[in-house]
Structure formats: structure tokens, C-alpha cells
Amino acid sequence: MYPTYKIAILDMNAGQPNEGMRCIKMLVEQFFENEDVKGDYEIFDVRVNYQLPDLLDYDIFISSGGPDSPKPTGEKWENKYFKFLDEIYDHNLLEERKKYLFLICHSFQLACLHWKLAKIKRRKSTAFGIMPVHKTKRGKKEYLLEGLQNPFYAVDSRDYQVVKPKKKRLKSLGCTILCKEKKRPHVPLERAVMAIRFSKEIFGVQFHPEADSEGMMRYFKRADKRDHIIRHHGKRKYHDMMIHLDDDDKILKTNRTIIPRFLQQAADAIDHQTPISV
């Protein structure tokens, strides 16, 4: 008899339609299609219905990206979400059976802010498109990034950024910076932090590793999005983005690598924690 994995997907999109949720669900469903994997998943609407999973009922958690500033504004869901982050962190310090958490973009920013790991600031302009992500020295050895080139490519869509990491705080909590945004030698600004391993069980990124070609093609072909990109970035940028969508070495490889590896790594760790009935 195979172990059963229970996955909670935290929807942080505040009720806005989002391709990312479709992609996350698809990756989780593909994980459950493996012959030796059994389980199910449930979606929790955090920002509209204030839903959060019970920690003890689930093994693996994926918290999505979302709109707006990550800085708290006093909304009801915020304290509940921050409490959830602390509960997972504290649980893993104290309990033998660990909980595994993957944080995407907005959720990543919230975690960095809550745990006081860096500054969160608004960008001078929106980061939008298929962008190169550079591994740090430690990132080159990270299991979840194995098989990806350096730099690798991912969908980047954000008005805010994680910058000025607090090295002492990161070290005290055992966090490791694994990726930074593209190099911009002509711009006198610090490069944003793009991925952190918060612990053996918690991993986060400030880009969208769940994005696939189908969803992004549909998104970029929308007249409002196409016109916005051309108006702010030019026709060449739009053309290059559309080409990248069909490139197997760009977002498709990222989509098939990071979250699938996270799910498999979590499952393998859980298997070693739980006796398997025969």
C-alpha cells in the first residue's frame, strides 16, 4: 500500500481570474498521475473567503502568487496567513513529521516581509515578461534547480520586489538565497532576490515557475495585454516573448522542473518519516 499525500493549494489571487491557479492544479494532478503516488488536493481561498488549511490535515502546501502590495493593510486574512506561516515553521522545528511549503511571488514577498528577511519596495516599473533568472553559488547546487541552465528563464510579473537581504537574519534562520534577477549593468539598482530556501521544508520564488506556454500564450494574445506590452516595451519585446513561449529551454523547462521536483522531494521525505503498510 502506497503512502497518501494530502496537498493544500492556497489561492492568493483575491478573486481575480488567474492562469497560475490552473497551472498549479495541473502540476499537482500530474504528480498524482505517477504510479506510486496516491492522494488528493484541496483549494483554499485565503483573501476572499479567509480560508486556511488545518496544518495537521495536510502534508504539502503551495501558496500562489497574487495582486497588490504585500505590505499589510489590516485586512482580515493577513494575520491568519502570517500565523499559518509561523505554525508551519514552528511545527517543523518541533515535530518529526514535517510539513512542506512552496511560496510563489506574492506569497514569497509576504514571507520575506513577515520573517524580516529583506526590504520590500515598489519597483520603478513593472517587471513583466519572460526573464532570465540567475543562480547564486548556492543556487547552482540546489536540487530543485538541477537541470536548469544559468541563467534559466521564467515568467516574471510584479510591481514589488524583495531587495536588501538582511544577511545576519537570513543566517540566523538558516535561509539561503538561491537566485537573483537579471543583471542590469546599465541600471544603478540592486538586483532583486528571486529565490530563497527558507529551510529544508520551505522554498520560495519571486517568479512564476508554474506558468506554462498555453496559459501565457492565451494571456499575451489578449488585446489589452498585447497593447500594454507594445506601448510600454515595444513590438520587438512582444515578438521575443511570443517566440520564447514555444522554446523548450525557456518557461516550459522551468514549469517541468521546479514544482515537480519540490513535490517529489517532499514526497520522498514524507516516505522516510512514515512507515508504509504492506
Side-chain angles (χ1 to χ4, degrees), residues 139-170:
K140 293 175 183 177
K141 300 178 181 179
E142 168 57 47
Y143 171 77
L144 300 193
L145 305 178
E146 280 183 14
L148 295 177
Q149 296 178 345
N150 190 29
F152 61 93
Y153 285 80
V155 171
D156 195 0
S157 177
R158 57 194 164 87
D159 292 312
Y160 292 83
Q161 59 184 348
V162 175
V163 293
K164 299 189 182 304
K166 300 176 182 178
K167 294 181 180 179
K168 288 184 179 179
R169 176 70 174 167
L170 286 160

Side-chain angles (χ1 to χ4, degrees), residues 65-88:
D68 307 322
S69 169
K71 296 182 180 180
T73 58
E75 294 186 46
K76 181 179 176 180
W77 65 269
E78 292 169 347
N79 283 338
K80 294 182 71 172
Y81 185 78
F82 293 141
K83 181 182 178 184
F84 164 79
L85 292 179
D86 287 337
E87 284 178 346
I88 284 191

